[in-house]
């Protein structure tokens, strides 16, 4: 009985609806339905924040597309946070793994009407960057990550080339992590690294000097050997002419009718005999000397090849020793089943854009159940500890659990032995289902984008110029390390990820194009 009044009131209310009342109700429903779309354009309540402690050197930045914010982390946690504006629909900011590759305090866009992009920190050469810009409170850029003007200015001098930038579709934070496959540096190896680098650098210098001298000797010997056929042909022609003259003298002597003619013919024959004998002697001597010269040329050529090989080994060892003092980054791709290593050489790129990253290690890896997704996980060495390094993990694409993903990978021991003992804070290991983007080349760290997320801002930009890869001619062709030469194809353009994906695919040019700036 208690419910009867209520039901009666409801019935009366329902009966009292008039057309105007229904229209009003419909309007309320329509406004309610439209609320999410309107709310999506409303400014979010993300504010700038600074950690209440002394900040260390930033190690990584994480941009959350979902929350429209960026957070910077040092070894002990977050240090700076600010709202951002990422790419709008159709020009979405690509989610993935990046690093700062160039900085420009007062950048002007060459793609968007000379637009001012102050305190620009580039993360791809085709035009994705972090920079100061207007923040309407929602995604509104052409693919870049806009930060508050003052925040971008204060941040500019705190970051560095090679600093990790992670763009995540959703909110994620670094989580403490440990695993036996992560680098465990050896203090004695780190302590010995500087003197080892000096020693190997001196050995590389000596090997380079010896190789240069051997190359010059081989060149001179090859030049001399190359002249032998022409010299022998000339002597053979001289002998043939002398033999012809001798034959003519014999014929003249036979046909002589008088004593005077015979005497003259005899004199001619004696001269012809001497000339033929001299030509034969010269030819025999040249033929005898030719073979030792050919043998010498072959020997100096082999010596030059051996010296060049010793130089290459010495330069490689010196380069590794020199780079041992740099944080190392490793990328493992399920799509290609390869492992790639990057370290910053701090050498300016020969074309004036950014710095050169060492690209000398690329090896196959074994992945258990390679048809099953790994996800995308970024493991970062945050700081030194008494036992080695303290690690964190950031996951931006769910596949397998981070620990299980690492368990499934077998990494060549010689690679670990080469880079693990001297691993430093800021070193990282990235595991992903994705291939490396075609943006990865000699002047980037790793660029990998999630192909199951929109990448409008990435797709619309032109690809960069053909990559230059390392040669073994020395730093800038003049010292220990790597020189560089253009090649027609970027060695890191990988096939499309076999993992099922959405319609969005990042740009992979079939042919190299001229470098396009934005």
């Amino acid at each position: 009985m208690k419910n009867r009044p209520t039901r009666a009131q409801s019935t009366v209310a329902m009966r009292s609806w008039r057309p105007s009342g229904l229209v009003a109700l419909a309007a309320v429903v329509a406004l309610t339905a439209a609320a999410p779309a309107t709310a999506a354009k409303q400014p979010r309540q993300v504010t700038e924040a600074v950690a209440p402690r002394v900040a260390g050197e930033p190690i990584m930045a994480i941009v959350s597309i979902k929350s429209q914010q960026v957070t910077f982390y040092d070894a002990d946690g977050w240090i700076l946070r600010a709202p951002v504006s990422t790419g709008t629909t159709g020009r979405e900011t690509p989610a993935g793994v990046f690093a700062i590759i160039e900085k420009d305090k007062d950048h002007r866009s060459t793609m968007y009407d000379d637009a001012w992009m102050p305190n620009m920190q580039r993360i791809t050469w085709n035009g994705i960057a972090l920079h100061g810009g207007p923040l309407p409170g929602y995604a509104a850029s052409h693919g870049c990550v806009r930060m508050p003007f003052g925040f971008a200015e204060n941040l500019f001098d705190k970051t560095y080339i090679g600093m990790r930038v992670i763009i995540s579709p959703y909110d994620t934070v670094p989580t403490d992590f440990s695993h036996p496959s992560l680098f465990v540096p050896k203090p004695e190896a780190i302590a010995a690294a500087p003197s080892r680098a000096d020693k190997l650098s001196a050995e590389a210098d000596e090997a380079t000097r010896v190789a240069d001298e051997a190359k010059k000797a081989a060149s001179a010997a090859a030049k001399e050997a190359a002249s032998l056929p022409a010299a022998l042909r000339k002597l053979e022609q001289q002998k043939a002419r002398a033999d012809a003259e001798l034959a003519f003298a014999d014929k003249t002597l036979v046909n002589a009718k008088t004593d005077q003619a015979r005497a003259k013919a005899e004199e001619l024959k004696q001269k012809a005999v001497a000339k033929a004998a001299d030509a034969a002697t010269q030819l025999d001597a040249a033929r005898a000397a030719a073979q030792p010269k050919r043998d010498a040329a072959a020997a100096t050529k082999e010596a030059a090849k051996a010296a060049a090989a010793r130089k290459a080994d010495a330069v490689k060892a010196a380069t590794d020793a020199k780079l041992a003092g740099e944080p190392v980054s490793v990328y493992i791709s399920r799509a290609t089943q390869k492992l790639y290593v990057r370290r910053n050489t701090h050498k300016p790129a020969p074309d004036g854009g950014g710095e050169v990253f060492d690209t000398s290690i690329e090896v196959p890896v074994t992945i258990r159940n390679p048809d099953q997704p790994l996800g995308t996980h970024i493991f970062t060495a945050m700081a030194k500890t008494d036992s080695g390094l303290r690690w964190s993990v950031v996951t931006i694409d769910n596949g397998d659990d981070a620990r299980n993903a690492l368990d499934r990978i077998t990494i060549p021991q010689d690679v670990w032995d080469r880079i693990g003992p001297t691993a430093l804070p800021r070193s990282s290991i990235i595991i992903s289902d994705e291939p490396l983007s075609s943006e990865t080349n000699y002047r980037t760290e790793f660029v990998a984008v999630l192909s199951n997320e929109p990448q409008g801002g990435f797709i619309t930009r032109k690809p960069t110029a053909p990559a230059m890869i390392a040669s073994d001619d020395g730093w800038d062709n003049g010292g220990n390390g790597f020189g560089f030469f253009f090649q027609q194809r970027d060695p890191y353009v990988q096939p499309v990820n076999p993992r099922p994906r959405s319609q969005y695919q990042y740009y992979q040019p079939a042919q190299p194009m001229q470098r396009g700036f934005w």
Side-chain angles (χ1 to χ4, degrees):
M1 296 296 294
K2 288 181 180 180
N3 292 332
R4 282 183 180 177
T6 304
R7 278 200 295 269
Q9 291 171 4
S10 299
T11 302
V12 171
M14 291 178 67
R15 287 174 180 172
S16 68
W17 286 115
R18 297 286 188 271
S20 60
L22 291 173
V23 171
L25 176 62
V28 171
V29 172
L31 287 172
T32 304
T38 304
K41 289 289 185 179
Q42 295 302 314
R44 297 181 181 274
Q45 297 304 310
V46 179
T47 58
E48 292 184 41
V50 178
R53 61 179 176 84
V54 176
E57 183 180 58
I59 293 177
M60 73 177 79
I62 301 179
V63 176
S64 169
I65 294 176
K66 176 183 177 181
S67 296
Q68 291 292 285
Q69 75 173 14
V70 62
T71 306
F72 288 79
Y73 295 86
D74 68 2
D76 297 318
W78 77 273
I79 52 174
L80 298 168
R81 183 173 291 131
V84 299
S85 183
T86 59
T88 189
T89 302
R91 294 181 179 273
E92 296 88 351
T93 299
V97 182
F98 307 87
I100 295 172
I101 54 178
E102 186 183 44
K103 301 173 67 173
D104 187 354
K105 188 74 175 171
D106 189 26
H107 184 72
R108 294 277 176 175
S109 173
T110 57
M111 183 177 288
Y112 297 117
D113 300 323
D114 200 39
W116 186 40
M117 297 178 177
N119 299 291
M120 185 275 292
Q121 304 193 54
R122 187 188 300 277
I123 59 175
T124 75
W125 286 112
N126 70 359
I128 304 294
L130 284 68
H131 62 79
L135 302 182
Y138 49 85
S141 79
H142 284 82
C144 287
V145 178
R146 297 182 193 165
M147 302 180 292
F149 286 106
F151 182 87
E153 183 176 9
N154 293 333
L155 175 72
F156 190 82
D157 291 332
K158 295 180 174 65
T159 60
Y160 48 87
I161 300 297
M163 194 197 83
R164 174 76 61 231
V165 177
I166 300 167
I167 300 179
S168 175
Y170 50 84
D171 298 338
T172 186
V173 297
T175 304
D176 287 345
F177 188 84
S178 62
H179 192 280
S181 293
L182 299 175
F183 301 130
V184 179
K186 298 178 180 178
E188 60 274 17
I190 294 175
S195 59
R196 181 171 182 271
D198 290 342
K199 176 177 178 292
L200 291 176
S201 180
E203 291 177 0
D205 287 342
E206 177 61 19
T208 299
R209 185 190 64 78
V210 171
D212 289 345
E213 290 181 356
K215 184 177 180 180
K216 289 177 182 178
S219 178
K223 186 176 181 180
E224 186 175 5
S227 67
L228 290 174
L232 289 173
R233 280 196 301 272
K234 185 177 180 180
L235 291 173
E236 287 168 352
Q237 291 168 358
Q238 290 177 0
K239 184 177 183 300
R241 286 195 296 269
D243 290 342
E245 290 177 10
L246 178 59
F248 178 76
D250 283 336
K251 186 177 179 181
T252 301
L253 181 61
V254 170
N255 294 328
K257 302 300 184 182
T258 64
D259 292 341
Q260 184 179 4
R262 280 194 294 273
K264 189 174 181 179
E266 186 66 36
E267 182 181 359
L268 179 63
K269 179 179 179 178
Q270 289 177 1
K271 290 180 179 179
V273 168
K275 189 173 182 180
D278 183 56
T281 300
Q282 290 186 49
L283 180 59
D284 290 342
R287 284 173 174 171
Q291 192 55 46
K293 289 179 180 179
R294 291 192 183 99
D295 293 343
T300 54
K301 182 179 179 180
E302 289 302 314
K305 287 174 62 177
R310 287 192 296 271
K311 171 193 169 182
D313 290 342
V315 167
K316 180 173 175 291
T319 299
D320 276 354
K322 191 179 296 185
L323 292 173
E326 292 294 321
V328 60
S329 295
V330 174
Y331 188 90
I332 300 171
S333 168
R334 182 176 71 90
T336 63
Q337 298 190 43
K338 284 187 177 182
L339 176 150
Y340 311 87
V341 176
R342 283 282 195 278
R343 285 176 291 194
N344 193 353
T345 68
H346 299 292
K347 296 289 181 179
D351 59 355
E355 296 179 358
V356 171
F357 285 78
D358 173 59
T359 62
S360 59
I361 301 178
E362 175 184 335
V363 295
V365 292
T366 301
I367 300 176
R368 191 173 72 251
N369 301 324
D371 56 328
Q372 297 179 10
L374 289 167
T376 296
H377 314 280
I378 303 98
F379 306 92
T380 306
M382 304 299 286
K384 292 180 180 179
T385 66
D386 292 339
S387 58
L389 294 169
R390 173 166 56 82
W391 290 81
S392 72
V393 64
V394 175
T395 295
I396 61 170
D397 189 25
N398 291 319
D400 208 341
D401 172 81
R403 185 172 300 280
N404 292 339
L406 205 51
D407 285 340
R408 287 168 53 191
I409 297 169
T410 302
I411 299 167
Q413 189 60 46
D414 62 321
V415 174
W416 244 224
D417 291 343
R418 185 173 167 184
I419 61 181
T422 57
L424 299 170
R426 303 204 324 264
S427 295
S428 61
I429 300 171
I430 303 162
I431 295 175
S432 182
D433 297 305
E434 307 292 349
L436 287 173
S437 162
S438 57
E439 276 293 302
T440 302
N441 57 45
Y442 74 103
R443 54 191 182 135
T444 69
E445 209 233 36
F446 295 119
V447 179
V449 294
L450 302 186
S451 54
N452 58 345
E453 295 292 331
Q455 299 156 25
F458 197 81
I459 295 171
T460 57
R461 288 166 163 79
K462 294 179 181 179
T464 57
M468 295 196 298
I469 62 173
S471 72
D472 61 357
D473 294 334
W475 294 115
D476 301 326
N477 293 322
N480 295 335
F482 291 91
F484 299 89
F485 59 88
F486 281 101
Q487 67 169 22
Q488 292 302 308
R489 250 184 110 182
D490 188 336
Y492 293 99
V493 176
Q494 302 296 350
V496 174
N497 188 351
R499 182 180 179 185
R501 294 299 186 185
S502 70
Q503 73 271 27
Y504 294 103
Q505 291 293 334
Y506 62 86
Y507 194 97
Q508 292 201 25
Q511 296 294 330
M513 296 178 63
Q514 291 301 314
R515 175 175 172 180
F517 285 97
W518 45 291

